[in-house]
Amino acid sequence: MEHQVLLIVGAALAIMIAASVFSRRTGVAAPLLLVGLGIGASYLPGAPEIEIGPELILAGVLPPLLYSSAVNLPVIDFRRNFRLISWLSVVMVIVSAVVIGAVVHWLFPAISFPLAVALGAVVSPTDAVAATAIGRRVGLPPRVMAVLEGESLVNDASALVVLRTAVAGIAATSSFSLGRTALEFGWAVLGALVIGGVVGWLTVLLRQRLDDPVLNTTISFAVPFIAYFPAEELNASGVLAVVVAGLVTGALGSRRFSARDRQNQATTWTTFNFILESGVFLAMGYQLPALVDAARGETTAGELTGLVLVVFALLVLLRFIGLAGPALRDREENKEEVRTRLDQFEEKLDSLTPADDREDARITSARRRLARGRADIDFEEREPITRRGFLIIGWAGMRGVVTVAAAHTIPVGTSHRATVVLAAFLVALITLVLFGLTLPAVIRRMRFPGESSADRHDAFRALLRQVGEDAIDNLGPLESQTIDGEPIDPQLVTKLKDRILPRVLAGVRDAPSIRPDVMEQTVILQLRYLEAMRDALSAERGIGAYSSHTYRKVEAMLDDMEKRLDAS
């Protein structure tokens, strides 16, 4: 039996890799390939029957899957698009789940209202993986991709919270109460925010103090489960706690982790995410024939077809209706009024005279908020979401791995469970086929203006120059610095100012040769300036005058410099 399990795992990994390579070369969505290969594998002679329990999906697959997405999401993009992301991923998820639940229960009375709401919750979250992969290839604006990624992350958590309360309603002996569901939803969200934030913060502090890549990677693997299980024990949302922990880790890790730890984390979770997502679709395809057989005993082919078409039509209709409000609101906003308020706020700050250090710190913090407000307005004017952008956001409403995985968490033994799980899978499959295959052509049809490589390079050099100047301003002149209380040798100061430091601040990779007797002092000083540049980058990122891509590029360059200096 052990040999058979190892054979299945090895064959599954080989199929995942082959499907990914074929997808990249042909443009066919990898989930579709995996589902098809899974179906084919289920008909092979001697193919074993595999039963995946809901507990394994809910506690073993979804936490690391959501954490891997959250930890890599740029916080600046999430903040700037928070209003639209929260509208799509929280409000529209709840509305979609309830509307779909009500309509499905009305048209198919055999499906109870709680189970119908569970179906609505399962199919409501979008999956941005395929959409963003296509978008990067054909020139989708970065802000539209940021909205899709942020929506996909948060709506996974909110949909699973709704699913949790709906499943509780299925198990309840009394009738389903919308009021009770709302209260449970509120506590699930509030408790998850607190638990996820605390877990993320504490684990970042612990990993910051460890200088061991093995231990850091091990803790990184444990974080989603450390957040999930305590939240579940307190009747909060474990999956939302995982998302919050991931966002906190990603935000703090950019400043508190070493370059090596950040690189290890990115590689580890990208690999883990690939295996989990591919495995879920492959397993779903493998189980599909058995699921179809089970559904035949509960409903007819006509009823199942009607159910799938009704749910799909409602999803498309609700999504475009939900996007109409933000699209009209954004067009009506007057950015000049916001600029006027910011100018008035600046005049008020200029008139203030700090009486002590505390007031001076408050004024400095207020000026930073002012700069961030101006940067946000500039960003809105530089990268607005036009009607074409909203159309793409609506067209990119594909369902994916979370829909497939979450459907399996509906308790076994529930009446019409197989019908609902199969319907959810077929809806996800239709969206992947219909929207996934047509999205590239729709994006090309929109003809979005692209940012030139020269503009990206200029932004990179400008940000790098700014953080370098800030580092020099913060540390002061080289002549005034000391190492272990001793002044620096004048000849080394001259060499650093004329040859070495300009290369560090400019990000030049090839460092000049240095005599061994001054190497240690040179490395210490370079690391000192590099640390100051990281502080300046973190402060500038808090303002947000540049794109997240530019911040990542400068951070990657600083990481590369840090690794080379550590190896010196």
Side-chain angles (χ1 to χ4, degrees), residues 285-341:
Y286 190 89
Q287 290 184 300
L288 183 60
L291 191 61
V292 171
D293 291 338
R296 284 175 180 170
E298 298 176 347
T299 187
T300 65
E303 289 175 335
L304 178 62
T305 302
L307 175 62
V308 171
L309 292 178
V310 165
V311 173
F312 174 74
L314 286 173
L315 283 177
V316 174
L317 182 63
L318 290 170
R319 183 163 182 83
F320 280 98
I321 290 176
L323 284 168
L328 294 174
R329 183 181 64 238
D330 286 352
R331 290 177 63 188
E332 294 172 355
E333 285 182 340
N334 190 344
K335 296 180 177 58
E336 288 304 319
E337 293 181 2
V338 179
R339 287 191 183 277
T340 301
R341 290 198 297 268

Side-chain angles (χ1 to χ4, degrees), residues 52-59 61-62 65-66 115 118-125 155-164 167 170 239 280-281 284 399-412 417 420-422 424-425 428:
I52 301 177
E55 296 80 9
L56 177 61
I57 295 292
L58 193 58
V61 174
L62 290 178
L65 198 60
L66 295 176
L115 183 59
L119 173 60
V122 163
V123 299
S124 59
N155 68 14
D156 289 344
S158 57
L160 290 168
V161 172
V162 176
L163 175 62
R164 170 198 174 115
V167 168
I170 295 172
V239 291
V280 168
F281 281 109
M284 188 61 194
R399 271 61 184 175
V401 64
V402 172
T403 291
V404 174
H408 278 78
T409 66
I410 297 175
V412 176
R417 176 186 185 272
V420 167
V421 173
L422 180 58
F425 171 74

Side-chain angles (χ1 to χ4, degrees), residues 199-326:
V199 169
W201 179 66
L202 290 178
T203 52
V204 166
L205 292 182
L206 175 61
R207 294 172 62 187
Q208 183 184 7
R209 286 163 172 75
L210 296 176
D211 188 22
D212 188 320
V214 175
L215 292 179
N216 262 295
T217 302
T218 304
I219 295 173
S220 178
F221 273 126
V223 171
F225 303 104
I226 295 174
Y228 176 83
F229 287 106
E232 288 294 315
E233 287 296 321
L234 294 175
N235 293 320
S237 170
V239 291
L240 182 57
V242 169
V243 169
V244 174
L247 290 173
V248 171
T249 302
L252 298 180
S254 63
R255 183 65 189 89
R256 295 176 181 265
F257 293 162
S258 67
R260 179 186 58 186
D261 289 336
R262 275 194 301 274
Q263 186 179 40
N264 288 343
Q265 175 175 268
T267 303
T268 297
W269 282 108
T270 300
T271 304
F272 205 51
N273 189 66
F274 165 75
I275 294 174
L276 285 177
E277 284 197 342
S278 301
V280 168
F281 281 109
L282 188 62
M284 188 61 194
Y286 190 89
Q287 290 184 300
L288 183 60
L291 191 61
V292 171
D293 291 338
R296 284 175 180 170
E298 298 176 347
T299 187
T300 65
E303 289 175 335
L304 178 62
T305 302
L307 175 62
V308 171
L309 292 178
V310 165
V311 173
F312 174 74
L314 286 173
L315 283 177
V316 174
L317 182 63
L318 290 170
R319 183 163 182 83
F320 280 98
I321 290 176
L323 284 168

Side-chain angles (χ1 to χ4, degrees), residues 438-468:
T438 58
L439 185 60
V442 175
I443 294 176
R444 292 190 185 97
R445 182 78 174 177
M446 295 296 103
R447 296 180 181 177
F448 291 104
E451 185 182 22
S452 67
S453 58
D455 290 339
R456 289 194 295 268
H457 181 72
D458 290 343
F460 166 75
R461 302 300 298 180
L463 177 57
L464 183 60
R465 182 171 57 252
Q466 181 172 337
V467 298

